[in-house]
Amino acid sequence: MKKYVIAALVALAMASCGEKKFHVEGNITNAKDSVLYFENIALTGIDVLDSVKLGDDGAFSFSGAQTEAPEFYRLRISDQIISLSIDSTETVTVKAEYPQMASKYEVSGSENCQKIQELALLQMDLQQRAINVSRNDTLSIDQVNDSILAMVNAYKQDVKTRYIFAHPDKAYAYFALFQTLGNMLLFNPRTNRDDIKAFAAVATSWDHQWPTAERGANLHNIAIEGMKNIRIADAENSQTIDPSKVQEAGLIDIALRDNKGQMRHLTDLKGKVVLLDFHIFSMDESPARILLLRELYNKYNAQGLEIYQVSLDGDEHFWKQQTAALPWISVRDENGINSSILPLYNIQNVPEFFLIDRGNNIVGRTQTIKDVEKEIQKLL
């Protein structure tokens, strides 16, 4: 019996030694007594896999079992994050100094991790440039909005060209798809035709190389959902009316429940200058647009400006979270982009706004107003 036990232990040890693993190691200096977390960026959320309290030299070493397809991880101290991807049994070495570890670090042993670093730095630069523009007092609201949108579009084109379409089979191409500005996705395949193509390109590569991978199936489903949404929107837009008929018919009432459950009629705002805004909070433009609307509201609400914002987001809980702190009227059409209101107002693209005078008359919309703030001042 003793021989059998020893043989079993030896076999178990051999099996353990034969398990294929990857390793993430290195040093994060100037972080003595800080806790470094090693986390998996899973589809369902962030999972803590391991952690270590750093010593004088900041040395750390983590390992994990090889997965069937590329997987994504991160090193984190507080809010400082270094994103990584692992697609085999490689050893990735990271060297950084706290507290700037997220923006200033060296990584070796993985091309994917090096490209992810490039993308992370580009994303940080975009965010800082957007913040700088939003704080420029010499620019009008529309100029700020246009500048930020132009920066985002240029960024997306560059990333798609150099990282996504050039190598859709790489883990860093997948990582690029889910970059954000603030808390909003830069690439939104649910409403943007070009973004759907980017998701579809990566999804096709994953289907070919890792046909049973859950991440590949998720990409595939996102791309299909986006194509469906675009087809529905195209069908709705084919039923649009002449823009002039909107004004000839007067103001078309909208009656929807706000984020507190109260029914709100657009026509009840007669006597106020109203900015009617059709919005999707999950879109690329949302953070910058909300910032600009808040500035307008803070400046002119006391003089009689009201904002009536119609959300077309499909997720009610998400919409309520996004609008909880907004001071204006926030309603939601549960039909989303299938809303019957859109063709009535001849809306072919979202976001879109209309300006309404105190007599409940539409006096302009996005395409006809060059400087919305000046127009609001005139009506007030």
Side-chain angles (χ1 to χ4, degrees), residues 229 232 254-258 263 278-280 309-317 319-320 330-342:
N229 289 344
I232 292 173
I254 299 175
L256 294 168
R257 296 194 180 278
D258 65 14
M263 182 63 71
F278 290 87
H279 192 83
I280 298 178
Q309 188 168 52
V310 181
S311 165
L312 302 173
D313 290 272
D315 188 330
E316 182 179 9
H317 178 68
W319 163 68
K320 286 185 176 180
S330 299
V331 300
R332 171 178 168 270
D333 191 328
E334 63 182 10
N335 294 312
I337 60 173
N338 298 318
S339 170
S340 60
I341 299 169
L342 299 184

PDB file of all heavy atoms in Angstrom, residues 229 232 254-258 263 278-280 309-317 319-320 330-342:
ATOM      1  N   ASN A 229     -29.622  46.628 -35.452  1.00  0.00           N
ATOM      2  CA  ASN A 229     -30.040  47.982 -35.088  1.00  0.00           C
ATOM      3  C   ASN A 229     -29.970  48.934 -36.274  1.00  0.00           C
ATOM      4  O   ASN A 229     -30.849  49.782 -36.467  1.00  0.00           O
ATOM      5  CB  ASN A 229     -29.170  48.512 -33.947  1.00  0.00           C
ATOM      6  CG  ASN A 229     -29.444  47.819 -32.626  1.00  0.00           C
ATOM      7  OD1 ASN A 229     -30.457  47.154 -32.469  1.00  0.00           O
ATOM      8  ND2 ASN A 229     -28.522  47.952 -31.690  1.00  0.00           N
ATOM      9  N   ILE A 232     -32.844  48.332 -38.665  1.00  0.00           N
ATOM     10  CA  ILE A 232     -34.091  48.889 -38.133  1.00  0.00           C
ATOM     11  C   ILE A 232     -34.110  50.400 -38.306  1.00  0.00           C
ATOM     12  O   ILE A 232     -35.125  50.987 -38.706  1.00  0.00           O
ATOM     13  CB  ILE A 232     -34.254  48.510 -36.645  1.00  0.00           C
ATOM     14  CG1 ILE A 232     -34.486  46.996 -36.502  1.00  0.00           C
ATOM     15  CG2 ILE A 232     -35.419  49.282 -36.018  1.00  0.00           C
ATOM     16  CD1 ILE A 232     -34.487  46.515 -35.069  1.00  0.00           C
ATOM     17  N   ILE A 254     -44.624  65.540 -27.030  1.00  0.00           N
ATOM     18  CA  ILE A 254     -43.988  64.298 -26.581  1.00  0.00           C
ATOM     19  C   ILE A 254     -44.417  64.082 -25.142  1.00  0.00           C
ATOM     20  O   ILE A 254     -44.314  64.991 -24.314  1.00  0.00           O
ATOM     21  CB  ILE A 254     -42.456  64.385 -26.668  1.00  0.00           C
ATOM     22  CG1 ILE A 254     -42.009  64.617 -28.113  1.00  0.00           C
ATOM     23  CG2 ILE A 254     -41.817  63.100 -26.109  1.00  0.00           C
ATOM     24  CD1 ILE A 254     -40.511  64.841 -28.261  1.00  0.00           C
ATOM     25  N   ALA A 255     -44.924  62.917 -24.843  1.00  0.00           N
ATOM     26  CA  ALA A 255     -45.359  62.598 -23.482  1.00  0.00           C
ATOM     27  C   ALA A 255     -44.698  61.298 -23.047  1.00  0.00           C
ATOM     28  O   ALA A 255     -45.058  60.212 -23.514  1.00  0.00           O
ATOM     29  CB  ALA A 255     -46.880  62.466 -23.416  1.00  0.00           C
ATOM     30  N   LEU A 256     -43.693  61.411 -22.175  1.00  0.00           N
ATOM     31  CA  LEU A 256     -42.949  60.246 -21.686  1.00  0.00           C
ATOM     32  C   LEU A 256     -42.681  60.410 -20.195  1.00  0.00           C
ATOM     33  O   LEU A 256     -42.717  61.520 -19.666  1.00  0.00           O
ATOM     34  CB  LEU A 256     -41.613  60.115 -22.435  1.00  0.00           C
ATOM     35  CG  LEU A 256     -41.678  59.785 -23.926  1.00  0.00           C
ATOM     36  CD1 LEU A 256     -40.309  59.974 -24.562  1.00  0.00           C
ATOM     37  CD2 LEU A 256     -42.177  58.355 -24.139  1.00  0.00           C
ATOM     38  N   ARG A 257     -42.408  59.304 -19.528  1.00  0.00           N
ATOM     39  CA  ARG A 257     -42.118  59.352 -18.096  1.00  0.00           C
ATOM     40  C   ARG A 257     -40.648  59.696 -17.867  1.00  0.00           C
ATOM     41  O   ARG A 257     -39.771  59.207 -18.572  1.00  0.00           O
ATOM     42  CB  ARG A 257     -42.461  58.029 -17.417  1.00  0.00           C
ATOM     43  CG  ARG A 257     -43.950  57.714 -17.464  1.00  0.00           C
ATOM     44  CD  ARG A 257     -44.342  56.599 -16.520  1.00  0.00           C
ATOM     45  NE  ARG A 257     -45.773  56.332 -16.603  1.00  0.00           N
ATOM     46  CZ  ARG A 257     -46.695  57.030 -15.957  1.00  0.00           C
ATOM     47  NH1 ARG A 257     -46.319  58.023 -15.157  1.00  0.00           N
ATOM     48  NH2 ARG A 257     -47.975  56.734 -16.087  1.00  0.00           N
ATOM     49  N   ASP A 258     -40.409  60.529 -16.855  1.00  0.00           N
ATOM     50  CA  ASP A 258     -39.032  60.913 -16.546  1.00  0.00           C
ATOM     51  C   ASP A 258     -38.375  59.882 -15.646  1.00  0.00           C
ATOM     52  O   ASP A 258     -38.973  58.834 -15.326  1.00  0.00           O
ATOM     53  CB  ASP A 258     -38.977  62.321 -15.941  1.00  0.00           C
ATOM     54  CG  ASP A 258     -39.672  62.410 -14.583  1.00  0.00           C
ATOM     55  OD1 ASP A 258     -39.960  61.364 -13.970  1.00  0.00           O
ATOM     56  OD2 ASP A 258     -39.928  63.540 -14.122  1.00  0.00           O
ATOM     57  N   MET A 263     -45.016  61.536 -15.561  1.00  0.00           N
ATOM     58  CA  MET A 263     -45.293  61.798 -16.964  1.00  0.00           C
ATOM     59  C   MET A 263     -44.991  63.260 -17.270  1.00  0.00           C
ATOM     60  O   MET A 263     -45.477  64.161 -16.586  1.00  0.00           O
ATOM     61  CB  MET A 263     -46.759  61.490 -17.280  1.00  0.00           C
ATOM     62  CG  MET A 263     -47.131  61.690 -18.742  1.00  0.00           C
ATOM     63  SD  MET A 263     -46.230  60.572 -19.855  1.00  0.00           S
ATOM     64  CE  MET A 263     -47.028  58.997 -19.452  1.00  0.00           C
ATOM     65  N   PHE A 278     -32.481  64.860 -28.312  1.00  0.00           N
ATOM     66  CA  PHE A 278     -32.601  63.409 -28.473  1.00  0.00           C
ATOM     67  C   PHE A 278     -31.208  62.815 -28.276  1.00  0.00           C
ATOM     68  O   PHE A 278     -30.254  63.212 -28.956  1.00  0.00           O
ATOM     69  CB  PHE A 278     -33.157  63.064 -29.855  1.00  0.00           C
ATOM     70  CG  PHE A 278     -34.600  63.446 -30.026  1.00  0.00           C
ATOM     71  CD1 PHE A 278     -34.947  64.716 -30.448  1.00  0.00           C
ATOM     72  CD2 PHE A 278     -35.601  62.545 -29.733  1.00  0.00           C
ATOM     73  CE1 PHE A 278     -36.272  65.084 -30.605  1.00  0.00           C
ATOM     74  CE2 PHE A 278     -36.940  62.893 -29.876  1.00  0.00           C
ATOM     75  CZ  PHE A 278     -37.278  64.173 -30.313  1.00  0.00           C
ATOM     76  N   HIS A 279     -31.107  61.839 -27.385  1.00  0.00           N
ATOM     77  CA  HIS A 279     -29.787  61.455 -26.890  1.00  0.00           C
ATOM     78  C   HIS A 279     -29.717  59.952 -26.635  1.00  0.00           C
ATOM     79  O   HIS A 279     -30.715  59.306 -26.296  1.00  0.00           O
ATOM     80  CB  HIS A 279     -29.529  62.205 -25.572  1.00  0.00           C
ATOM     81  CG  HIS A 279     -28.121  62.137 -25.090  1.00  0.00           C
ATOM     82  ND1 HIS A 279     -27.138  62.976 -25.547  1.00  0.00           N
ATOM     83  CD2 HIS A 279     -27.527  61.316 -24.190  1.00  0.00           C
ATOM     84  CE1 HIS A 279     -25.996  62.686 -24.941  1.00  0.00           C
ATOM     85  NE2 HIS A 279     -26.208  61.669 -24.117  1.00  0.00           N
ATOM     86  N   ILE A 280     -28.508  59.405 -26.796  1.00  0.00           N
ATOM     87  CA  ILE A 280     -28.225  58.022 -26.396  1.00  0.00           C
ATOM     88  C   ILE A 280     -26.983  58.071 -25.511  1.00  0.00           C
ATOM     89  O   ILE A 280     -25.901  58.427 -25.969  1.00  0.00           O
ATOM     90  CB  ILE A 280     -27.984  57.099 -27.608  1.00  0.00           C
ATOM     91  CG1 ILE A 280     -29.241  57.029 -28.487  1.00  0.00           C
ATOM     92  CG2 ILE A 280     -27.595  55.691 -27.142  1.00  0.00           C
ATOM     93  CD1 ILE A 280     -29.070  56.179 -29.730  1.00  0.00           C
ATOM     94  N   GLN A 309     -34.861  66.314 -22.393  1.00  0.00           N
ATOM     95  CA  GLN A 309     -33.958  65.347 -23.035  1.00  0.00           C
ATOM     96  C   GLN A 309     -34.622  63.981 -23.157  1.00  0.00           C
ATOM     97  O   GLN A 309     -35.063  63.397 -22.167  1.00  0.00           O
ATOM     98  CB  GLN A 309     -32.669  65.227 -22.230  1.00  0.00           C
ATOM     99  CG  GLN A 309     -31.588  64.407 -22.918  1.00  0.00           C
ATOM    100  CD  GLN A 309     -30.242  64.546 -22.226  1.00  0.00           C
ATOM    101  OE1 GLN A 309     -30.132  64.356 -21.027  1.00  0.00           O
ATOM    102  NE2 GLN A 309     -29.218  64.899 -22.996  1.00  0.00           N
ATOM    103  N   VAL A 310     -34.691  63.502 -24.394  1.00  0.00           N
ATOM    104  CA  VAL A 310     -35.311  62.211 -24.682  1.00  0.00           C
ATOM    105  C   VAL A 310     -34.212  61.174 -24.890  1.00  0.00           C
ATOM    106  O   VAL A 310     -33.431  61.260 -25.848  1.00  0.00           O
ATOM    107  CB  VAL A 310     -36.201  62.281 -25.935  1.00  0.00           C
ATOM    108  CG1 VAL A 310     -36.854  60.918 -26.197  1.00  0.00           C
ATOM    109  CG2 VAL A 310     -37.266  63.360 -25.767  1.00  0.00           C
ATOM    110  N   SER A 311     -34.145  60.201 -23.992  1.00  0.00           N
ATOM    111  CA  SER A 311     -33.148  59.136 -24.120  1.00  0.00           C
ATOM    112  C   SER A 311     -33.714  57.990 -24.959  1.00  0.00           C
ATOM    113  O   SER A 311     -34.872  57.600 -24.807  1.00  0.00           O
ATOM    114  CB  SER A 311     -32.762  58.610 -22.731  1.00  0.00           C
ATOM    115  OG  SER A 311     -32.069  57.373 -22.845  1.00  0.00           O
ATOM    116  N   LEU A 312     -32.868  57.456 -25.820  1.00  0.00           N
ATOM    117  CA  LEU A 312     -33.240  56.301 -26.645  1.00  0.00           C
ATOM    118  C   LEU A 312     -32.447  55.059 -26.236  1.00  0.00           C
ATOM    119  O   LEU A 312     -32.329  54.115 -27.000  1.00  0.00           O
ATOM    120  CB  LEU A 312     -33.006  56.620 -28.123  1.00  0.00           C
ATOM    121  CG  LEU A 312     -33.771  57.854 -28.635  1.00  0.00           C
ATOM    122  CD1 LEU A 312     -33.333  58.186 -30.055  1.00  0.00           C
ATOM    123  CD2 LEU A 312     -35.268  57.624 -28.587  1.00  0.00           C
ATOM    124  N   ASP A 313     -31.891  55.082 -25.021  1.00  0.00           N
ATOM    125  CA  ASP A 313     -31.117  53.943 -24.523  1.00  0.00           C
ATOM    126  C   ASP A 313     -32.025  52.749 -24.248  1.00  0.00           C
ATOM    127  O   ASP A 313     -33.126  52.893 -23.719  1.00  0.00           O
ATOM    128  CB  ASP A 313     -30.382  54.335 -23.241  1.00  0.00           C
ATOM    129  CG  ASP A 313     -29.250  55.306 -23.501  1.00  0.00           C
ATOM    130  OD1 ASP A 313     -28.137  54.837 -23.784  1.00  0.00           O
ATOM    131  OD2 ASP A 313     -29.485  56.524 -23.433  1.00  0.00           O
ATOM    132  N   GLY A 314     -31.526  51.567 -24.571  1.00  0.00           N
ATOM    133  CA  GLY A 314     -32.323  50.372 -24.349  1.00  0.00           C
ATOM    134  C   GLY A 314     -32.341  49.909 -22.909  1.00  0.00           C
ATOM    135  O   GLY A 314     -33.303  49.278 -22.457  1.00  0.00           O
ATOM    136  N   ASP A 315     -31.287  50.203 -22.165  1.00  0.00           N
ATOM    137  CA  ASP A 315     -31.150  49.737 -20.781  1.00  0.00           C
ATOM    138  C   ASP A 315     -31.685  50.801 -19.825  1.00  0.00           C
ATOM    139  O   ASP A 315     -31.076  51.844 -19.619  1.00  0.00           O
ATOM    140  CB  ASP A 315     -29.672  49.457 -20.485  1.00  0.00           C
ATOM    141  CG  ASP A 315     -29.455  48.778 -19.136  1.00  0.00           C
ATOM    142  OD1 ASP A 315     -30.267  49.008 -18.219  1.00  0.00           O
ATOM    143  OD2 ASP A 315     -28.480  48.023 -19.009  1.00  0.00           O
ATOM    144  N   GLU A 316     -32.837  50.535 -19.235  1.00  0.00           N
ATOM    145  CA  GLU A 316     -33.473  51.512 -18.346  1.00  0.00           C
ATOM    146  C   GLU A 316     -32.627  51.802 -17.108  1.00  0.00           C
ATOM    147  O   GLU A 316     -32.506  52.954 -16.676  1.00  0.00           O
ATOM    148  CB  GLU A 316     -34.861  51.017 -17.913  1.00  0.00           C
ATOM    149  CG  GLU A 316     -35.609  52.006 -17.026  1.00  0.00           C
ATOM    150  CD  GLU A 316     -36.983  51.507 -16.631  1.00  0.00           C
ATOM    151  OE1 GLU A 316     -37.291  50.316 -16.897  1.00  0.00           O
ATOM    152  OE2 GLU A 316     -37.757  52.293 -16.046  1.00  0.00           O
ATOM    153  N   HIS A 317     -32.053  50.755 -16.518  1.00  0.00           N
ATOM    154  CA  HIS A 317     -31.238  50.939 -15.312  1.00  0.00           C
ATOM    155  C   HIS A 317     -30.027  51.816 -15.620  1.00  0.00           C
ATOM    156  O   HIS A 317     -29.697  52.727 -14.843  1.00  0.00           O
ATOM    157  CB  HIS A 317     -30.785  49.584 -14.776  1.00  0.00           C
ATOM    158  CG  HIS A 317     -29.908  49.672 -13.563  1.00  0.00           C
ATOM    159  ND1 HIS A 317     -30.364  50.106 -12.342  1.00  0.00           N
ATOM    160  CD2 HIS A 317     -28.574  49.394 -13.393  1.00  0.00           C
ATOM    161  CE1 HIS A 317     -29.370  50.093 -11.467  1.00  0.00           C
ATOM    162  NE2 HIS A 317     -28.280  49.671 -12.083  1.00  0.00           N
ATOM    163  N   TRP A 319     -29.780  54.045 -17.994  1.00  0.00           N
ATOM    164  CA  TRP A 319     -30.269  55.407 -18.224  1.00  0.00           C
ATOM    165  C   TRP A 319     -30.522  56.130 -16.908  1.00  0.00           C
ATOM    166  O   TRP A 319     -30.134  57.281 -16.742  1.00  0.00           O
ATOM    167  CB  TRP A 319     -31.543  55.349 -19.065  1.00  0.00           C
ATOM    168  CG  TRP A 319     -32.358  56.610 -19.025  1.00  0.00           C
ATOM    169  CD1 TRP A 319     -32.023  57.817 -19.552  1.00  0.00           C
ATOM    170  CD2 TRP A 319     -33.643  56.781 -18.413  1.00  0.00           C
ATOM    171  NE1 TRP A 319     -33.020  58.737 -19.313  1.00  0.00           N
ATOM    172  CE2 TRP A 319     -34.020  58.131 -18.618  1.00  0.00           C
ATOM    173  CE3 TRP A 319     -34.509  55.934 -17.733  1.00  0.00           C
ATOM    174  CZ2 TRP A 319     -35.236  58.642 -18.148  1.00  0.00           C
ATOM    175  CZ3 TRP A 319     -35.715  56.435 -17.271  1.00  0.00           C
ATOM    176  CH2 TRP A 319     -36.058  57.773 -17.473  1.00  0.00           C
ATOM    177  N   LYS A 320     -31.144  55.453 -15.949  1.00  0.00           N
ATOM    178  CA  LYS A 320     -31.421  56.088 -14.663  1.00  0.00           C
ATOM    179  C   LYS A 320     -30.128  56.444 -13.926  1.00  0.00           C
ATOM    180  O   LYS A 320     -30.046  57.483 -13.272  1.00  0.00           O
ATOM    181  CB  LYS A 320     -32.293  55.175 -13.794  1.00  0.00           C
ATOM    182  CG  LYS A 320     -33.740  55.114 -14.252  1.00  0.00           C
ATOM    183  CD  LYS A 320     -34.602  54.295 -13.307  1.00  0.00           C
ATOM    184  CE  LYS A 320     -36.066  54.332 -13.730  1.00  0.00           C
ATOM    185  NZ  LYS A 320     -36.924  53.543 -12.821  1.00  0.00           N
ATOM    186  N   SER A 330     -35.435  64.628 -17.839  1.00  0.00           N
ATOM    187  CA  SER A 330     -34.868  63.465 -18.525  1.00  0.00           C
ATOM    188  C   SER A 330     -35.945  62.396 -18.669  1.00  0.00           C
ATOM    189  O   SER A 330     -36.395  61.822 -17.673  1.00  0.00           O
ATOM    190  CB  SER A 330     -33.680  62.898 -17.745  1.00  0.00           C
ATOM    191  OG  SER A 330     -32.647  63.850 -17.625  1.00  0.00           O
ATOM    192  N   VAL A 331     -36.376  62.161 -19.904  1.00  0.00           N
ATOM    193  CA  VAL A 331     -37.372  61.127 -20.168  1.00  0.00           C
ATOM    194  C   VAL A 331     -36.746  60.059 -21.057  1.00  0.00           C
ATOM    195  O   VAL A 331     -35.666  60.258 -21.624  1.00  0.00           O
ATOM    196  CB  VAL A 331     -38.630  61.713 -20.849  1.00  0.00           C
ATOM    197  CG1 VAL A 331     -39.277  62.773 -19.956  1.00  0.00           C
ATOM    198  CG2 VAL A 331     -38.278  62.311 -22.208  1.00  0.00           C
ATOM    199  N   ARG A 332     -37.424  58.937 -21.179  1.00  0.00           N
ATOM    200  CA  ARG A 332     -36.880  57.838 -21.982  1.00  0.00           C
ATOM    201  C   ARG A 332     -37.990  57.182 -22.784  1.00  0.00           C
ATOM    202  O   ARG A 332     -39.064  56.913 -22.259  1.00  0.00           O
ATOM    203  CB  ARG A 332     -36.222  56.804 -21.081  1.00  0.00           C
ATOM    204  CG  ARG A 332     -35.794  55.504 -21.783  1.00  0.00           C
ATOM    205  CD  ARG A 332     -35.102  54.554 -20.823  1.00  0.00           C
ATOM    206  NE  ARG A 332     -34.949  53.220 -21.396  1.00  0.00           N
ATOM    207  CZ  ARG A 332     -35.838  52.242 -21.273  1.00  0.00           C
ATOM    208  NH1 ARG A 332     -36.946  52.440 -20.562  1.00  0.00           N
ATOM    209  NH2 ARG A 332     -35.637  51.063 -21.833  1.00  0.00           N
ATOM    210  N   ASP A 333     -37.695  56.938 -24.065  1.00  0.00           N
ATOM    211  CA  ASP A 333     -38.607  56.176 -24.917  1.00  0.00           C
ATOM    212  C   ASP A 333     -38.132  54.732 -24.913  1.00  0.00           C
ATOM    213  O   ASP A 333     -37.040  54.423 -25.415  1.00  0.00           O
ATOM    214  CB  ASP A 333     -38.616  56.740 -26.342  1.00  0.00           C
ATOM    215  CG  ASP A 333     -39.742  56.146 -27.186  1.00  0.00           C
ATOM    216  OD1 ASP A 333     -40.101  54.979 -26.954  1.00  0.00           O
ATOM    217  OD2 ASP A 333     -40.258  56.859 -28.063  1.00  0.00           O
ATOM    218  N   GLU A 334     -38.923  53.855 -24.344  1.00  0.00           N
ATOM    219  CA  GLU A 334     -38.511  52.453 -24.203  1.00  0.00           C
ATOM    220  C   GLU A 334     -38.346  51.748 -25.553  1.00  0.00           C
ATOM    221  O   GLU A 334     -37.726  50.672 -25.632  1.00  0.00           O
ATOM    222  CB  GLU A 334     -39.527  51.690 -23.353  1.00  0.00           C
ATOM    223  CG  GLU A 334     -40.916  51.619 -23.956  1.00  0.00           C
ATOM    224  CD  GLU A 334     -41.906  50.904 -23.059  1.00  0.00           C
ATOM    225  OE1 GLU A 334     -41.564  50.621 -21.896  1.00  0.00           O
ATOM    226  OE2 GLU A 334     -43.020  50.620 -23.535  1.00  0.00           O
ATOM    227  N   ASN A 335     -38.867  52.347 -26.622  1.00  0.00           N
ATOM    228  CA  ASN A 335     -38.728  51.748 -27.950  1.00  0.00           C
ATOM    229  C   ASN A 335     -37.377  52.051 -28.585  1.00  0.00           C
ATOM    230  O   ASN A 335     -37.072  51.557 -29.665  1.00  0.00           O
ATOM    231  CB  ASN A 335     -39.855  52.240 -28.865  1.00  0.00           C
ATOM    232  CG  ASN A 335     -41.217  51.755 -28.400  1.00  0.00           C
ATOM    233  OD1 ASN A 335     -41.398  50.578 -28.115  1.00  0.00           O
ATOM    234  ND2 ASN A 335     -42.170  52.670 -28.313  1.00  0.00           N
ATOM    235  N   GLY A 336     -36.585  52.898 -27.927  1.00  0.00           N
ATOM    236  CA  GLY A 336     -35.243  53.181 -28.404  1.00  0.00           C
ATOM    237  C   GLY A 336     -35.226  53.760 -29.807  1.00  0.00           C
ATOM    238  O   GLY A 336     -36.009  54.651 -30.141  1.00  0.00           O
ATOM    239  N   ILE A 337     -34.344  53.223 -30.642  1.00  0.00           N
ATOM    240  CA  ILE A 337     -34.228  53.740 -32.008  1.00  0.00           C
ATOM    241  C   ILE A 337     -35.448  53.383 -32.856  1.00  0.00           C
ATOM    242  O   ILE A 337     -35.564  53.862 -33.996  1.00  0.00           O
ATOM    243  CB  ILE A 337     -32.946  53.223 -32.688  1.00  0.00           C
ATOM    244  CG1 ILE A 337     -32.944  51.693 -32.765  1.00  0.00           C
ATOM    245  CG2 ILE A 337     -31.715  53.742 -31.985  1.00  0.00           C
ATOM    246  CD1 ILE A 337     -31.797  51.135 -33.561  1.00  0.00           C
ATOM    247  N   ASN A 338     -36.345  52.570 -32.330  1.00  0.00           N
ATOM    248  CA  ASN A 338     -37.597  52.258 -33.019  1.00  0.00           C
ATOM    249  C   ASN A 338     -38.714  53.213 -32.615  1.00  0.00           C
ATOM    250  O   ASN A 338     -39.875  52.998 -32.961  1.00  0.00           O
ATOM    251  CB  ASN A 338     -38.031  50.820 -32.709  1.00  0.00           C
ATOM    252  CG  ASN A 338     -37.012  49.800 -33.191  1.00  0.00           C
ATOM    253  OD1 ASN A 338     -36.472  49.934 -34.282  1.00  0.00           O
ATOM    254  ND2 ASN A 338     -36.740  48.794 -32.378  1.00  0.00           N
ATOM    255  N   SER A 339     -38.374  54.264 -31.903  1.00  0.00           N
ATOM    256  CA  SER A 339     -39.358  55.237 -31.430  1.00  0.00           C
ATOM    257  C   SER A 339     -40.159  55.835 -32.583  1.00  0.00           C
ATOM    258  O   SER A 339     -39.606  56.222 -33.617  1.00  0.00           O
ATOM    259  CB  SER A 339     -38.654  56.360 -30.669  1.00  0.00           C
ATOM    260  OG  SER A 339     -39.543  57.418 -30.413  1.00  0.00           O
ATOM    261  N   SER A 340     -41.464  55.952 -32.378  1.00  0.00           N
ATOM    262  CA  SER A 340     -42.333  56.552 -33.398  1.00  0.00           C
ATOM    263  C   SER A 340     -42.156  58.061 -33.456  1.00  0.00           C
ATOM    264  O   SER A 340     -42.606  58.713 -34.403  1.00  0.00           O
ATOM    265  CB  SER A 340     -43.796  56.218 -33.087  1.00  0.00           C
ATOM    266  OG  SER A 340     -44.160  56.721 -31.804  1.00  0.00           O
ATOM    267  N   ILE A 341     -41.481  58.628 -32.442  1.00  0.00           N
ATOM    268  CA  ILE A 341     -41.259  60.075 -32.401  1.00  0.00           C
ATOM    269  C   ILE A 341     -40.224  60.503 -33.440  1.00  0.00           C
ATOM    270  O   ILE A 341     -40.328  61.580 -34.032  1.00  0.00           O
ATOM    271  CB  ILE A 341     -40.792  60.507 -30.999  1.00  0.00           C
ATOM    272  CG1 ILE A 341     -41.851  60.171 -29.952  1.00  0.00           C
ATOM    273  CG2 ILE A 341     -40.471  61.997 -30.951  1.00  0.00           C
ATOM    274  CD1 ILE A 341     -41.366  60.330 -28.530  1.00  0.00           C
ATOM    275  N   LEU A 342     -39.238  59.665 -33.697  1.00  0.00           N
ATOM    276  CA  LEU A 342     -38.127  60.030 -34.575  1.00  0.00           C
ATOM    277  C   LEU A 342     -38.585  60.405 -35.983  1.00  0.00           C
ATOM    278  O   LEU A 342     -38.192  61.457 -36.495  1.00  0.00           O
ATOM    279  CB  LEU A 342     -37.086  58.913 -34.608  1.00  0.00           C
ATOM    280  CG  LEU A 342     -36.434  58.561 -33.264  1.00  0.00           C
ATOM    281  CD1 LEU A 342     -35.342  57.504 -33.463  1.00  0.00           C
ATOM    282  CD2 LEU A 342     -35.852  59.795 -32.602  1.00  0.00           C
TER     283      LEU A 342
END
